[in-house]
Amino acid sequence: MITLTVDDRTIQAPDGSSVLSACLSAGIIIPHLCWMETDSPAGAPAACRLCLVEIDGFRDPVTACTVPVENGMTVYTGTEVVRSLQKMAFKLLLSVHRVDCKHCPANKACALQDIAKFLGVGLGCKPFERVLKEPEVDTHHPVFDYYPNRCVLCGLCVRICRQRHRQPQLSFAGRGFETVVGYFDADPLAAANCVSCRECLAVCPTGALVERTAFEGSTRGNS
Ligand code: FES
């Protein structure tokens, strides 16, 4: 086991685990969206940029999901610099997110609401402009709908699909602000090949993927 100090607490973690994994296992909260428990520090995508921490010996803040624990390491999870960068990263994510919690099935179970509360900020995105996508909903899949303006592109659905299936159907499509979760080879008809295991629905942190029968009618075009 590796012994490290986090915010004046001494904790232990298995060799090879990430600082994020070590902290979460010890009950120390670090905001995160794109990390999966199966991620090694070298394999974490570090897409959301929310898990920043400061570590003695590192010149700049680093993503806790990509740094392996080391004996004697000293980590700070709540400094002014860390919080400021986390708030900025969070606002950037919100700049592509339509805030309409009242009509969202993830209301009160949404990772964005939890992170906003933890950081003590609202769901506004200033100084960034909100950039939303059209169409509001992709209904190509036989079982679930995809709401691009709720999606923060954490990639969990795409990754779980790749992990579970030899022929994954979900992938990223488009570029830059136009990026969405789409079907393999950006072919909407590929949705018909999906075995509908629903694992992507289970990992979605924001209500971007919604089983149709669960919330039908009340949300389409309202997200
Ligand atoms: S959890 Fe580390 S960058 Fe997303």
Side-chain angles (χ1 to χ4, degrees):
M1 293 291 270
I2 300 291
T3 302
L4 62 159
T5 304
V6 182
D7 302 333
D8 297 330
R9 259 185 73 188
T10 301
I11 66 170
Q12 290 200 311
D15 195 5
S17 55
S18 66
V19 170
L20 178 61
S21 168
C23 289
L24 295 176
S25 298
I28 298 165
I29 300 173
I30 297 178
H32 61 281
L33 277 175
C34 68
W35 175 80
M36 299 177 89
E37 271 186 44
T38 49
D39 284 338
S40 68
C48 72
R49 317 302 293 176
L50 286 172
C51 70
L52 291 164
V53 294
E54 290 192 278
I55 301 179
D56 276 352
F58 287 68
R59 204 183 61 180
D60 298 313
V62 288
T63 44
C65 61
T66 57
V67 177
V69 289
E70 282 178 23
N71 264 320
M73 187 177 244
T74 303
V75 180
Y76 307 93
T77 70
T79 64
E80 217 172 293
V81 172
V82 162
R83 287 288 178 260
S84 162
L85 290 170
Q86 285 171 334
K87 285 175 189 173
M88 200 54 79
F90 187 55
K91 283 170 185 289
L92 201 52
L93 291 175
L94 289 171
S95 71
V96 293
H97 183 81
R98 184 189 289 290
V99 179
D100 187 10
C101 303
K102 210 169 58 171
H103 296 106
C104 178
N107 191 17
K108 296 191 167 62
C110 174
L112 298 180
Q113 292 173 326
D114 292 343
I115 292 168
K117 194 170 169 195
F118 177 79
L119 293 176
V121 296
L123 294 171
C125 62
K126 281 196 174 117
F128 304 108
E129 189 186 339
R130 209 171 309 262
V131 181
L132 299 175
K133 295 164 186 147
E134 293 285 344
E136 291 272 354
V137 55
D138 179 339
T139 59
H140 284 104
H141 196 279
V143 169
F144 59 79
D145 292 331
Y146 169 64
Y147 291 79
N149 292 323
R150 290 182 193 149
C151 178
V152 289
L153 302 174
C154 65
L156 295 183
C157 57
V158 172
R159 295 175 67 211
I160 199 87
C161 190
R162 278 190 200 143
Q163 283 181 13
R164 296 290 193 268
H165 303 294
R166 286 181 60 195
Q167 286 191 302
Q169 298 305 323
L170 290 179
S171 64
F172 286 120
R175 304 177 72 159
F177 278 112
E178 296 305 316
T179 305
V180 291
V181 170
Y183 303 103
F184 199 53
D185 283 341
D187 174 8
L189 298 179
N193 298 329
C194 175
V195 296
S196 300
C197 70
R198 296 170 172 78
E199 296 229 25
C200 53
L201 304 183
V203 296
C204 178
T206 65
L209 294 171
V210 183
E211 183 150 6
R212 200 163 297 129
T213 50
F215 215 68
E216 192 158 26
S218 56
T219 61
R220 287 202 197 185
N222 261 338
S223 65

